[in-house]
Amino acid sequence: MNGPVMPWGAYPTTRLRRNRRDDWSRRLVRENRLHTDDLIWPVFVHEGENRRQPIPSMPGVDRLSIDLLVDAVGQAADLGIPAVAIFPATPPEKKTAEAEEAVNPENLICRATRAIKAAHGDRIGVLCDVALDPYTSHGHDGLVRDGYVVNDETIEVLCRQAVVQAQAGCDVIAPSDMMDGRVGAVRHALDQAGFQQVRIMSYAAKYASAFYGPFRDAVGSASSLGKGDKQTYQMDPANGDEAIREVALDLAEGADMVMVKPGMPYLDIVRRVAETFAAPTYVYQVSGEYAMLDAAASGGWLDRRRGVLESLLAFKRAGADGILTYFAVEVARWL
Ligand code: PBG
């Protein structure tokens, strides 16, 4: 016999187009839906007051001063968006080789977190990245020794960064650095400091991708990194099985939620992670994906609303429980 015997018949008895004929029956058979509850909104914060600065490689996305950010986050909460992920554009003079600013309780991210939590409380969750790249003069996510990003020494700083952010009121610590063993170490450090309730969403399968370019402009790490790349710690885009091992480790170390990043080119990874672990699985539609969709829509080459909604629905179909997307507010308004 060739292949399985299907429980349904063949043409002309079976006509799959029947269910597609009318809007009501298309709705009735629809398998996946995008909801505002699925969205996490990444935002960029910079110094100053009443200060908004466009990011040229991400048209429509601005760096906001804390006061404007608090208002914007309030609007996101009003729309029902469950969480925001905040990223700092650290002033260049505060970036150092050892990333001291990352553990300064008065740094941008901590002040922004305190302001958001004071204004909006538990109406919206706040995610903070744990990684050193917004704070290092060389643009790497960790400490560099003899030209190599060292693992264990970096983790010590990451743990202090996580605790300082938790003290500021961060709800979800999101290690995006890809050091080995960091999730377990950060969990331990948070627990020791009394933050048992602070969640960890690990960037578990994070690839060394070309699609982070606009983000690095936004936080100003592109110029620091120069020609450097992150291939000694982020994953090789050629690998799929390795993503399963990364996610398994992070879950074993105590991650509450895991993330795959980037999104659209890695839908196969999202599907495998969701199926293999049945754990809360998230996907990051990264800056380069935003820039591509925005550029095509701005050029009039694709319909913005339909294109964006389709890209996000695809993540749900692949098995994601939620999506970090720069389109979050726009999409919440459409929904
Ligand atoms: C920091 C970090 C990056 C992103 C999120 N956290 C950049 C990088 O690893 O170089 C990328 C997000 C995006 O491109 O939208 N480690």
Side-chain angles (χ1 to χ4, degrees):
M1 174 132 29
N2 301 317
V5 180
M6 294 302 183
W8 49 79
Y11 176 84
T13 329
T14 301
R15 292 176 185 267
L16 291 177
R17 290 184 56 196
R18 278 190 203 111
N19 286 339
R20 293 178 204 144
R21 203 189 100 117
D22 299 299
D23 179 63
W24 65 263
S25 63
R26 285 194 296 273
R27 282 189 281 130
L28 200 59
V29 300
R30 190 157 293 149
E31 298 173 37
N32 294 284
R33 276 188 177 75
L34 182 68
H35 192 276
T36 301
D37 287 341
D38 301 322
L39 304 174
I40 299 173
W41 186 34
V43 289
F44 298 103
V45 60
H46 68 168
E47 292 289 357
E49 233 175 276
N50 191 23
R51 205 170 142 241
R52 172 187 298 275
Q53 189 178 53
I55 300 159
S57 51
M58 301 179 76
V61 178
D62 299 331
R63 299 184 194 95
L64 302 176
S65 53
I66 291 176
D67 52 335
L68 297 183
L69 180 67
V70 168
D71 292 346
V73 172
Q75 285 163 26
D78 291 343
L79 286 164
I81 292 173
V84 290
I86 47 177
F87 297 97
T90 306
E93 65 275 12
K94 292 204 171 143
K95 297 188 181 186
T96 57
E98 302 295 297
E100 280 90 352
E101 183 66 4
V103 299
N104 173 6
E106 292 304 318
N107 69 18
L108 254 178
I109 246 2
C110 292
R111 279 182 281 131
T113 301
R114 279 196 293 271
I116 292 170
K117 283 283 124 180
H120 308 302
D122 287 333
R123 287 179 65 221
I124 191 158
V126 171
L127 268 89
C128 297
D129 253 39
V130 157
L132 303 184
D133 55 322
Y135 309 99
T136 50
S137 43
H138 43 68
H140 278 295
D141 291 21
L143 303 177
V144 179
R145 303 282 179 255
D146 299 324
Y148 184 71
V149 175
V150 289
N151 199 85
D152 301 11
E153 212 180 324
T154 295
I155 287 181
E156 287 172 32
V157 187
L158 298 179
C159 288
R160 284 162 55 208
Q161 182 184 22
V163 169
V164 160
Q165 292 177 161
Q167 282 164 345
C170 173
D171 300 295
V172 186
I173 292 291
S176 70
D177 54 285
M178 289 302 278
M179 299 299 114
D180 286 324
R182 90 278 204 214
V183 171
V186 164
R187 180 73 272 159
H188 182 70
L190 289 172
D191 289 353
Q192 289 285 302
F195 296 108
Q196 289 86 355
Q197 297 304 324
V198 170
R199 303 150 183 90
I200 295 180
M201 176 187 289
S202 73
Y203 288 71
K206 176 171 178 179
Y207 286 87
S209 170
F211 291 93
Y212 309 149
F215 174 97
R216 293 179 189 169
D217 294 337
V219 301
S221 66
S223 48
S224 324
L225 197 58
K227 282 199 170 30
D229 64 54
K230 302 189 175 182
Q231 292 182 74
T232 72
Y233 44 106
Q234 298 179 346
M235 285 182 56
D236 185 337
N239 297 351
D241 293 344
E242 193 187 344
I244 303 302
R245 299 181 70 198
E246 282 285 1
V247 173
L249 282 169
D250 284 7
L251 287 171
E253 290 175 30
D256 302 286
M257 307 172 247
V258 291
M259 189 209 298
V260 172
K261 179 186 176 198
M264 207 139 76
Y266 296 86
L267 288 178
D268 57 324
I269 308 298
V270 176
R271 159 59 55 194
R272 288 179 68 180
V273 168
E275 268 183 4
T276 306
F277 300 102
T281 303
Y282 298 82
V283 59
Y284 199 142
Q285 181 178 56
V286 299
S287 55
E289 297 175 72
Y290 174 89
M292 287 196 303
L293 285 163
D294 176 77
S298 304
W301 305 318
L302 61 75
D303 182 282
R304 183 177 182 97
R305 181 171 169 155
R306 285 185 57 207
V308 169
L309 288 174
E310 185 176 327
S311 73
L312 299 178
L313 184 61
F315 294 130
K316 295 294 301 286
R317 196 190 59 240
D321 295 298
I323 307 150
L324 290 93
T325 174
Y326 300 97
F327 292 111
V329 166
E330 200 174 348
V331 168
R333 292 213 169 93
W334 292 336
L335 298 174

